[in-house]
Amino acid sequence: MKKLILTAFLGLALGANAQNMYEQCEDTCNHVHGIDLSHYQGDVFWETVGENTKMAYVYLKATEGGDRIDERYENNIVLAHKHGLKVGSYHFYRPKTEQMKQLENFMTQCRPGEQDLIPMIDIETKGGLSTEAFCDSLMKFLELVEKAYKQKPLIYTYTNFYNKWLVGKIPQYPLMIAQYKEEEPVLADDKEYIIWQYTCKGRIVGVNGYVDKSRFMGQHGLKEIRYRH
């Protein structure tokens, strides 16, 4: 009898844990949520993703550096639009690569007519440059992007990277900050960020494996990153 009771108890415990594994942030709050995707997620079942009313937007990787193009970008953006998601595109910035070459690469993929959301620039490396040289390189690129798309891009980076290298450098740009902890990010200069990427191990029906998930902070919402056509 004791063995049966113990087995039943373990079964209930495992069932509860299994349920918690699939309980996501968007199931327990009222913030506006979204995801970002690249070729790493492989084939995406966009019809299923589009049916998830808790996911309001998606940022798709378009390009990296001066010549790399995400192999699934073209297919992803067509299908994401088809199934009702608000779509934006992002570029992974390589500080040592000539800025105009990177802009031209990005613009071959991130075409204004296909964008619902402002471009996003992914900044995760200094490329071995000094802080001064890195910031100079980055600012030149951001100015080129703003001139080309006639609006300021969204900046994506990690809490630690921002606090170490970018404090006070990009005050005029909207921010998406990545930090994979329960605690909300705190920036060293108290700059307000509008989106928090809170996990790189999210789950969503329609995507195999893990997916990055983010949410707007407080009263911030999609209107702040809408592409102005």
Side-chain angles (χ1 to χ4, degrees), residues 38-152:
S38 69
H39 65 277
Y40 290 113
Q41 277 74 37
D43 291 324
V44 175
F45 297 94
W46 283 106
E47 182 175 4
T48 304
V49 175
E51 290 172 351
N52 188 330
T53 58
K54 295 175 181 176
M55 291 296 126
Y57 62 91
V58 57
Y59 266 99
L60 300 172
K61 184 176 183 181
T63 50
E64 179 175 336
D67 54 10
R68 295 185 64 179
I69 293 172
D70 191 281
E71 63 195 48
R72 295 187 181 272
Y73 175 78
E74 291 281 359
N75 186 62
N76 281 341
I77 196 168
V78 169
L79 293 178
H81 275 304
K82 180 179 178 181
H83 295 292
L85 286 152
K86 298 298 183 185
V87 184
S89 305
Y90 75 90
H91 173 79
F92 189 99
Y93 184 63
R94 291 291 180 187
K96 282 187 174 181
T97 302
E98 201 271 322
Q99 291 91 352
M100 183 56 73
K101 187 175 181 182
Q102 294 198 62
L103 176 65
E104 290 171 351
N105 186 33
F106 188 43
M107 292 188 73
T108 63
Q109 302 303 304
C110 181
R111 294 177 284 272
E114 297 176 344
Q115 309 303 310
D116 300 307
L117 310 176
I118 59 176
M120 182 167 76
I121 309 303
D122 184 346
I123 306 165
E124 302 183 35
T125 177
K126 287 174 62 190
L129 297 177
S130 68
T131 301
E132 183 179 359
F134 161 67
C135 289
D136 182 62
S137 168
L138 175 61
M139 290 309 299
K140 286 179 180 177
F141 181 68
L142 294 180
E143 288 167 6
L144 287 173
V145 172
E146 182 176 351
K147 184 176 180 180
Y149 289 99
K150 299 180 174 59
Q151 51 213 301
K152 294 184 185 300

Side-chain angles (χ1 to χ4, degrees), residues 152-208:
K152 294 184 185 300
L154 176 66
I155 305 301
Y156 168 95
T157 192
Y158 290 87
T159 305
N160 290 342
F161 192 91
Y162 181 90
N163 285 341
K164 195 167 185 180
W165 312 117
L166 291 173
V167 169
K169 305 294 185 183
I170 49 174
Q172 67 272 48
Y173 291 94
L175 289 180
M176 179 193 291
I177 294 293
Q179 178 171 291
Y180 308 141
K181 299 178 181 179
E182 290 186 6
E183 299 83 12
E184 295 180 359
V186 175
L187 301 183
D189 56 0
D190 293 324
K191 176 173 168 57
E192 186 177 21
Y193 51 94
I194 63 173
I195 305 175
W196 171 23
Q197 187 185 86
Y198 56 86
T199 184
C200 62
K201 292 188 175 181
R203 296 285 189 177
I204 182 172
V205 178
V207 179
N208 292 320

